[in-house]
């Protein structure tokens, strides 16, 4: 077994990383005919990382397959944000182990993503799951081909405990030919007390704006109609560099002329007036903002380390609503943070009643080892937390439906992305405000932005037909 280097940072200098790139010439016949199964959990960052992983595997000749059965290599790209991630990983590994023992003794089993950055997870794999061949972390995806080529029958754990430098010219096999993810920053420095991301993804590193613009221009040349700028806290973009602000970056991206620009996720703390004005000013910056609230009580927000109060959040929310016409706003909310009282929870409901979100992702607080909140004593039982979640979901769904119903009878622009999964006679796409629409009559319009009349509204989607 290779020694894990979890405690020793293997930080490479920029030159060394560039050297790795220069040296990276792979033979696509090496694994010709062999199949990989890649399963992705977590946020858009993981989804985009999987596009890199796919490109790297295909450079060696692997082809994708959508079942474990029949695969020669399985990779699970994990998310560590909540406790249930653990069950998902080890449930998945159980299936892989079965496949390896029963049908394919040469099956390569690999784990990556945010859970790979957790020392306890690596230890568990090293001691109890010896059939796992490879664990690699979020900071060394660029080594994937080498790790596979060097693989022998020894379990390999290759996880950098610290981030390296930002590097460019990453290969991607993009899932869509219409819309693309573009990383603008990696990691997060906010250290909200409940959150594991700063530990799994490292400190904030922004990409140079000129590189981002170069990538967007290349995507336009390749026919892409939409980009989503990705980061855990996009509005803190550039603060770690001597570069432009996020508002300026948005403006630069809008000026490339790409029809649709989106970004995710914004932290209320760094949300500047300049940003709001820029979003309002450019037609191709979509009027859709994901603005996580997390909690409505200022005392819980303080314990969470969120750096804004309930009042400041509502003020920002109203400013955005007032300045950006037709904007839709969604949010994330956690219930059951340690010692959240009934009063605290009521304040969360109050904010929801005031903001009437277009939709919200809601979660029960999940303690994550190594975070400050995990050490807080908690007197609230799980049953209370579950009841709160139900109550919150009911309210959130009511407002989602209300917001969606306002669209009925209106004509909206929808970027048609593909055939509906459930009903192939229909297509699906998104409005500028990020509403999912199932569209009748647009089967020959995939990849176009078209006018759609909305005929019906549900809590999570709209129905429409071509105008
Ligand atoms: N960077 C984003 C959030 C990324 S994580 C932001 O700051 O808004 C996505 C969501 O997962 C968070 O907004 C939060 O609502 C939820 N989350 C994060 N850690 C959690 C935990 N320990 N328990 C429950 N939910 C959590
Ligand atoms: Fe986690 Fe907070 Fe960073 Fe979001 S801003 S990723 S919640 S630490
Ligand atoms: Fe999960 Fe990592 Fe994203 S913990 S939410 S995949 S940054």
């Amino acid at each position: 077994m290779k020694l894990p280097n979890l405690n020793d940072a293997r930080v490479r200098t920029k030159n060394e990383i560039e050297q790795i790139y220069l040296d990276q010439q792979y033979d696509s016949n090496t694994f010709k005919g062999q199949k990989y199964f890649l399963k992705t959990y977590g946020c858009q960052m993981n989804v985009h990382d999987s596009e890199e992983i796919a490109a790297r595997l295909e450079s060696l000749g692997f082809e994708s397959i959508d079942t474990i059965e029949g695969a020669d290599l399985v990779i699970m790209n994990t998310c560590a944000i909540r406790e249930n991630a653990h069950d998902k990983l080890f449930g998945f590994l159980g299936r892989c182990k079965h496949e390896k023992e029963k049908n394919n003794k040469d099956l390569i089993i690999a784990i990556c993503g945010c859970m790979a950055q957790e020392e306890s997870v690596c230890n568990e794999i090293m001691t109890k799951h010896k059939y796992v061949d490879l664990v690699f972390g979020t900071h060394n995806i660029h080594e994937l081909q080498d790790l596979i080529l060097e693989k022998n029958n020894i379990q390999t754990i290759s996880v950098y405990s610290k981030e390296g430098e930002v590097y460019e010219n990453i290969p991607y096999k993009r899932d869509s030919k219409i819309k693309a993810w573009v990383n603008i920053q990696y990691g997060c420095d906010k250290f909200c007390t409940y959150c594991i991301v700063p530990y799994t993804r490292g400190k904030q590193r922004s990409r140079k704006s000129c590189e981002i613009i170069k990538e967007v221009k290349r995507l336009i040349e390749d026919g892409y109609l939409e980009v989503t700028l990705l980061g855990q806290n996009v509005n803190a973009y550039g603060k770690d560099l001597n570069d432009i602000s996020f508002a300026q970056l948005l403006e630069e991206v809008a000026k490339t002329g790409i029809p649709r620009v989106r970004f995710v996720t914004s932290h209320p703390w760094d949300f500047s007036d300049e940003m709001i004005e820029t979003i309002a000013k450019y037609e191709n910056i979509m009027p859709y903002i994901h603005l996580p609230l997390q909690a409505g009580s200022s005392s819980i927000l303080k314990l969470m380390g969120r750096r804004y109060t309930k009042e400041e959040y509502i003020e920002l929310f109203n400013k955005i609503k007032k300045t950006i016409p037709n904007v839709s706003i969604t949010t994330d909310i956690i219930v059951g943070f340690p010692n959240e009282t009934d009063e605290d929870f009521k304040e969360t409901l109050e904010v929801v009643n005031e903001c009437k979100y277009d939709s919200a992702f809601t979660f029960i607080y999940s303690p994550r080892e190594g975070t400050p909140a995990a050490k807080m004593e908690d007197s609230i039982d799980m049953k209370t937390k579950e009841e709160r979640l139900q109550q919150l979901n009911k309210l959130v769904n009511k407002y989602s439906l209300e917001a969606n119903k306002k669209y009925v009878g209106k004509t909206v622009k929808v970027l048609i992305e593909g055939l509906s999964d459930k009903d192939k006679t229909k297509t699906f796409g998104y409005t500028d405000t990020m509403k999912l629409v199932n569209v009748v009559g647009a089967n020959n319009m995939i990849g176009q932005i078209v006018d759609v009349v909305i005929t019906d509204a549900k809590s999570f989607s709209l129905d429409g037909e071509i105008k």
Side-chain angles (χ1 to χ4, degrees), residues 36-41 53 57 62 68 71-78 89 92-93 96-97 100 106-113 116 121 125 129-137 144 147-148 151 155-158:
Y36 71 93
F37 172 72
L38 172 57
K39 177 87 186 159
T40 310
Y41 289 96
I53 291 166
L57 294 176
F62 282 103
I68 295 178
D72 301 282
L73 164 67
V74 291
I75 299 194
M76 180 166 171
N77 191 1
T78 60
L89 171 61
F92 176 85
L93 283 181
C96 296
K97 181 176 183 223
K100 193 165 182 164
D106 297 322
L107 179 66
I108 305 174
I109 302 176
I111 308 296
C112 62
V121 170
I125 288 174
H129 301 272
K130 300 228 185 312
Y131 55 90
V132 172
D133 297 275
L134 171 64
V135 180
F136 61 99
L144 179 58
L147 290 167
I148 290 177
K151 197 199 102 42
Q155 185 177 61
T156 304
I157 312 280
S158 180

Side-chain angles (χ1 to χ4, degrees), residues 104-153:
N104 181 2
K105 66 175 180 27
D106 297 322
L107 179 66
I108 305 174
I109 302 176
I111 308 296
C112 62
C114 288
M115 285 185 81
Q117 294 296 139
E118 289 185 273
E119 199 162 345
S120 60
V121 170
C122 288
N123 285 335
E124 192 168 347
I125 288 174
M126 286 188 289
T127 49
K128 298 195 196 141
H129 301 272
K130 300 228 185 312
Y131 55 90
V132 172
D133 297 275
L134 171 64
V135 180
F136 61 99
T138 55
H139 305 308
N140 59 327
I141 300 175
H142 57 277
E143 290 184 344
L144 179 58
Q145 290 105 319
D146 295 332
L147 290 167
I148 290 177
L149 289 169
E150 286 163 15
K151 197 199 102 42
N152 42 37
N153 289 326

Side-chain angles (χ1 to χ4, degrees), residues 137-351:
T138 55
H139 305 308
N140 59 327
I141 300 175
H142 57 277
E143 290 184 344
L144 179 58
Q145 290 105 319
D146 295 332
L147 290 167
I148 290 177
L149 289 169
E150 286 163 15
K151 197 199 102 42
N152 42 37
N153 289 326
I154 302 168
Q155 185 177 61
T156 304
I157 312 280
S158 180
V159 179
Y160 296 9
S161 57
K162 248 186 138 173
E163 64 285 333
E165 301 225 11
V166 169
Y167 50 95
E168 295 297 337
N169 303 318
I170 298 173
Y172 291 112
K173 183 197 173 205
R174 296 187 188 268
D175 290 336
S176 164
K177 300 255 172 288
I178 298 167
K179 57 181 198 179
W181 307 112
V182 174
N183 280 329
I184 64 164
Q185 113 212 114
Y186 303 92
C188 180
D189 281 344
K190 283 284 181 283
F191 286 96
C192 302
T193 57
Y194 52 81
C195 184
I196 200 165
V197 171
Y199 307 89
T200 63
R201 294 271 169 176
K203 69 173 192 313
Q204 173 174 312
R205 289 101 64 210
S206 299
R207 275 178 80 192
K208 280 194 196 144
S209 57
C210 58
E211 296 290 349
I212 297 168
I213 300 299
K214 231 196 281 171
E215 183 172 350
V216 173
K217 287 186 174 159
R218 269 200 310 266
L219 289 165
I220 296 174
E221 277 166 25
D222 291 345
Y224 282 85
L225 296 178
E226 178 176 309
V227 289
T228 302
L229 309 179
L230 276 186
Q232 285 297 352
N233 180 8
V234 288
N235 27 356
Y237 169 80
K239 296 198 171 179
D240 52 313
L241 290 179
N242 232 345
D243 208 325
I244 56 181
S245 68
F246 181 64
Q248 289 164 323
L249 178 71
L250 259 184
E251 181 149 27
E252 292 297 312
V253 176
K255 281 184 185 158
T256 62
I258 187 142
R260 287 185 160 196
V261 182
R262 299 187 186 279
F263 55 92
V264 72
T265 299
S266 326
H267 190 298
W269 191 60
D270 286 312
F271 216 108
S272 64
D273 289 354
E274 193 192 359
M275 243 179 101
I276 302 176
E277 279 148 26
T278 308
I279 299 165
K281 182 169 156 198
Y282 286 90
E283 267 197 12
N284 59 345
I285 303 180
M286 297 295 98
Y288 163 67
I289 293 166
H290 187 63
L291 193 70
L293 166 70
Q294 310 303 3
S297 139
S298 295
S299 61
I300 294 291
L301 286 169
K302 189 152 191 227
L303 287 174
M304 286 177 158
R306 289 294 287 182
R307 310 173 197 208
Y308 53 84
T309 62
K310 171 190 181 182
E311 291 72 27
E312 284 164 348
Y313 180 93
I314 292 176
E315 194 190 326
L316 171 66
F317 183 97
N318 289 333
K319 208 190 292 175
I320 294 173
K321 278 268 172 185
K322 214 171 92 201
T323 319
I324 306 171
N326 189 34
V327 68
S328 78
I329 304 183
T330 59
T331 199
D332 291 346
I333 299 171
I334 297 175
V335 299
F337 189 78
N339 303 317
E340 181 191 57
T341 62
D342 278 337
E343 279 309 307
D344 292 321
F345 175 60
K346 260 199 211 129
E347 291 198 66
T348 296
L349 298 179
E350 270 169 38
V351 179

